Amino acid sequence: MKLLLVALFLEKLVLPLQILQRFYEGGPLFMSLILICLLLSILFIVLGFINLKKNKDASKKYLRLTIDSSLLGLVLGFLGSVIGLIMAFDSVEAMGSPSPEVFAGGLKISLLTATFGLFSFVVSRFGILILRWFIKEE
């Protein structure tokens, strides 16, 4: 029974640990900046909904801030990806002729920031669409 509980507990920890590992693999600097942009976008969306009834102009201001922060997260993701590709090609150049596994691993790591930037952009865009819809209804 105890072994089953331990196995279930460890199974619940696997996904968060994999997410943290991917976060670190993508480069903590760019991944952290993209995460900050995502959190700011969510905050601005929430503030836009809170101010929807009180002050429509404030809601529009938060909508514009959400758009800006979501685009910043997207651009940072692609910037991190390009820098990662440059670093991958530098290491390929230094190694001479690397194995395809090493090359594929470098490409995978360089695409993590772009993927996270796209994810944060899509999440923010859903919030933007919903907030715009509510603003136009008012």
Side-chain angles (χ1 to χ4, degrees):
M1 182 66 175
K2 286 183 182 180
L3 186 60
L4 180 64
L5 289 174
V6 169
L8 288 173
F9 178 72
L10 290 177
E11 187 177 299
K12 299 271 187 206
L13 284 178
V14 169
L15 183 63
L17 289 176
Q18 287 176 346
I19 292 171
L20 285 174
Q21 181 182 3
R22 295 285 185 209
F23 188 87
Y24 184 74
E25 282 178 356
L29 175 65
F30 279 101
M31 296 293 269
S32 297
L33 291 174
I34 297 167
L35 179 62
I36 289 169
C37 288
L38 175 62
L39 294 174
L40 281 173
S41 294
I42 292 170
L43 174 70
F44 293 146
I45 289 169
V46 169
L47 290 173
F49 277 112
I50 289 171
N51 287 308
L52 195 59
K53 300 286 183 190
K54 301 175 200 170
N55 187 356
K56 194 172 181 179
D57 290 333
S59 274
K60 288 180 180 179
K61 179 184 107 177
Y62 287 122
L63 179 66
R64 287 190 302 271
L65 287 171
T66 305
I67 291 169
D68 291 342
S69 64
S70 68
L71 286 173
L72 181 61
L74 179 66
V75 170
L76 284 172
F78 282 111
L79 178 64
S81 182
V82 168
I83 290 172
L85 284 171
I86 290 170
M87 291 171 52
F89 285 127
D90 281 344
S91 62
V92 165
E93 184 181 28
M95 290 175 68
S97 85
S99 67
E101 294 85 14
V102 170
F103 190 68
L107 289 177
K108 177 192 78 164
I109 289 172
S110 72
L111 292 175
L112 287 173
T113 54
T115 304
F116 190 46
L118 283 168
F119 172 76
S120 70
F121 182 73
V122 168
V123 169
S124 300
R125 291 312 285 187
F126 277 128
I128 289 166
L129 288 173
I130 294 168
L131 185 58
R132 273 192 182 150
W133 185 49
F134 277 100
I135 287 174
K136 287 188 179 181
E137 279 188 356
E138 291 289 317

